[in-house]
Amino acid sequence: MGAQKSIHAGRAKIDVNVDFTHKLCTSLMFPTFRDTSSPLSLVIGSLCIKHPNLFGGSEKLDVSWDKGLYDSNVLVAFRRPRPEWRPQQCFFIQHSLSPEIGVHGTPVDNFSRSGSGGVNLSKLAVGLDLSEPASSKWSSTTSIKFEHVRPINDEGRSITRDLDGFPVTCSGNTHDSMVVLKQESRFAKASDQGLSHFSMQIEQGIPVLSKWLIFNRFKFVASKGVRLGPAFLLASLTGGSIVGDMAPYQAFAIGGLGSVRGYGEGAVGSGRSCLVANTELALPLNKMTEGTIFLDCGTDLGSSRLVPGNPSLRQGKPGFGYGFGYGLRFKSPLGHLQVDYAINAFNQKTLYFGVTNLASST
């Protein structure tokens, strides 16, 4: 599957990892009755450099680079030691490049897959994270960052409009700029009988300059798990909304693995608001394997028409969808393997394969 090597150079530690399937399979879906062997022949790689004592005062520097099939991410993070009772600081610079499939992707095969819409996002962010000390079962993080977003086509050129001639930025220029203040609170509780989890994110665009985006965006995730004899029932509800200035790429994309299975990424719809419900019942088959049945559903709450350019309507997305099916979960030395077989509302069948928590070897 892959290999990892750690190199110690003085006080610095360099982790080099080359992985053939981890990042790819986490987000890749395989439609049934199709050749799925060729994508796995492409290499996924990552490089991580860590220094635990940069200036002699226990300052930590982390530099990471990840490369996928069509995306890449570079992150530089610097942490200074602080007393445990004070918020922990992390300065970061991040650049990412990825296809914008969720909003501008084109649904195919009865919405079971999403093809490229010719829009990619190049993002540069510079900011500061403040992590508050955990209190009981609650934790929170506050961050502020400057973000520069530049849409580009598949050839790497800056664009202002999509393939249908509609704007892809809020400003109408080749890029959007914004300063975003973000607050995230999390609650987690677990026991032998079940678990509870809740998280809330609120983002506020600050108008430092007149042409910068001003918006308020929130998202929540609530999950509840209950043990029913040997089985485990997990239900979750995800929702969000955005008001104010908005670029199409900021819309909530509904559909895909982690959302509504049986659909391609964003193939259910993309709107200013969303609501997604997931239910999964897991039953152990042996010590290493679990069988599951699941039901997912999601809606854009009729808000797709409020997204600039209305890409969801132009692509014929339904705005509401459901998917159901069954799957297997395997525990192995390589990590947790997941296979899901899903059927959507159009009776289109899709097979998903995922790898999470990949074990590393040195």
Side-chain angles (χ1 to χ4, degrees):
M1 300 283 282
Q4 178 173 312
K5 179 67 175 178
S6 296
I7 303 172
H8 294 270
R11 295 181 177 179
K13 178 184 178 183
I14 302 176
D15 294 328
V16 181
N17 179 59
V18 177
D19 186 354
F20 287 86
T21 60
H22 181 208
K23 190 173 181 180
L24 170 64
C25 293
T26 300
S27 61
L28 185 66
M29 65 177 184
F30 295 149
T32 56
F33 311 116
R34 293 179 182 270
D35 179 14
T36 61
S37 60
S38 58
L40 291 179
S41 64
L42 299 177
V43 175
I44 308 300
S46 64
L47 173 67
C48 183
I49 301 175
K50 299 182 179 182
H51 199 301
N53 192 19
L54 188 61
F55 300 118
S58 298
E59 301 89 351
K60 296 180 180 180
L61 176 68
D62 295 338
V63 180
S64 63
W65 170 79
D66 297 288
K67 183 67 178 73
L69 289 177
Y70 309 107
D71 60 339
S72 64
N73 183 73
V74 178
L75 175 63
V76 180
F78 174 74
R79 298 174 177 85
R80 294 189 304 177
R82 306 191 79 190
E84 293 184 358
W85 53 270
R86 298 188 63 185
Q88 301 302 303
Q89 295 180 349
C90 176
F91 300 90
F92 65 88
I93 301 175
Q94 184 176 20
H95 179 267
S96 64
L97 177 63
S98 61
E100 206 301 282
I101 301 294
V103 176
H104 292 98
T106 303
V108 295
D109 290 346
N110 284 329
F111 301 93
S112 66
R113 292 192 298 127
S114 295
S116 173
V119 178
N120 304 271
L121 297 180
S122 174
K123 295 183 179 181
L124 174 65
V126 180
L128 169 67
D129 282 339
L130 293 174
S131 298
E132 297 289 341
S135 174
S136 182
K137 300 175 179 65
W138 286 92
S139 61
S140 65
T141 301
T142 303
S143 65
I144 186 168
K145 66 178 179 180
F146 166 79
E147 190 170 38
H148 180 277
V149 182
R150 183 170 64 95
I152 60 177
N153 60 17
D154 293 337
E155 287 72 43
R157 300 189 192 90
S158 296
I159 56 175
T160 59
R161 297 182 179 274
D162 60 21
L163 297 178
D164 294 328
F166 288 84
V168 291
T169 60
C170 180
S171 64
N173 300 322
T174 57
H175 67 272
D176 285 328
S177 297
M178 63 198 86
V179 171
V180 181
L181 179 65
K182 178 180 177 181
Q183 172 69 40
E184 180 175 6
S185 298
R186 296 172 297 275
F187 171 84
K189 179 182 178 181
S191 67
D192 294 337
Q193 300 304 314
L195 61 87
S196 299
H197 176 268
F198 178 80
S199 67
M200 170 72 80
Q201 297 178 5
I202 299 177
E203 295 179 318
Q204 177 66 55
I206 302 175
V208 178
L209 297 179
S210 59
K211 293 184 178 181
W212 290 9
L213 275 61
I214 310 172
F215 62 90
N216 182 273
R217 188 179 197 266
F218 81 90
K219 179 182 178 181
F220 73 88
V221 179
S223 302
K224 179 67 175 180
V226 180
R227 187 165 296 283
L228 304 173
F232 191 81
L233 177 64
L234 179 64
S236 64
L237 184 67
T238 303
S241 187
I242 180 172
V243 295
D245 296 336
M246 178 186 181
Y249 56 78
Q250 292 179 302
F252 292 93
I254 309 162
L257 191 62
S259 178
V260 181
R261 284 165 284 190
Y263 291 82
E265 183 180 351
V268 173
S270 52
R272 275 186 176 263
S273 302
C274 76
L275 198 62
V276 176
N278 309 95
T279 304
E280 184 168 295
L281 180 66
L283 184 67
L285 303 179
N286 55 49
K287 292 183 179 181
M288 305 296 291
T289 309
E290 287 184 340
T292 65
I293 56 174
F294 59 84
L295 172 64
D296 304 331
C297 60
T299 174
D300 62 16
L301 300 173
S303 64
S304 62
R305 58 185 176 83
L306 303 177
V307 177
N310 201 346
S312 186
L313 177 65
R314 288 187 280 121
Q315 295 152 5
K317 297 179 181 180
F320 171 81
Y322 64 87
F324 61 92
Y326 54 89
L328 292 172
R329 308 289 183 265
F330 304 95
K331 297 178 181 179
S332 75
L334 297 174
H336 295 269
L337 311 181
Q338 172 181 341
V339 180
D340 285 333
Y341 181 81
I343 305 173
N344 67 17
F346 300 92
N347 202 34
Q348 184 70 34
K349 302 171 181 64
T350 306
L351 183 66
Y352 296 87
F353 175 68
V355 183
T356 57
N357 297 327
L358 193 69
S360 62
S361 60
T362 55

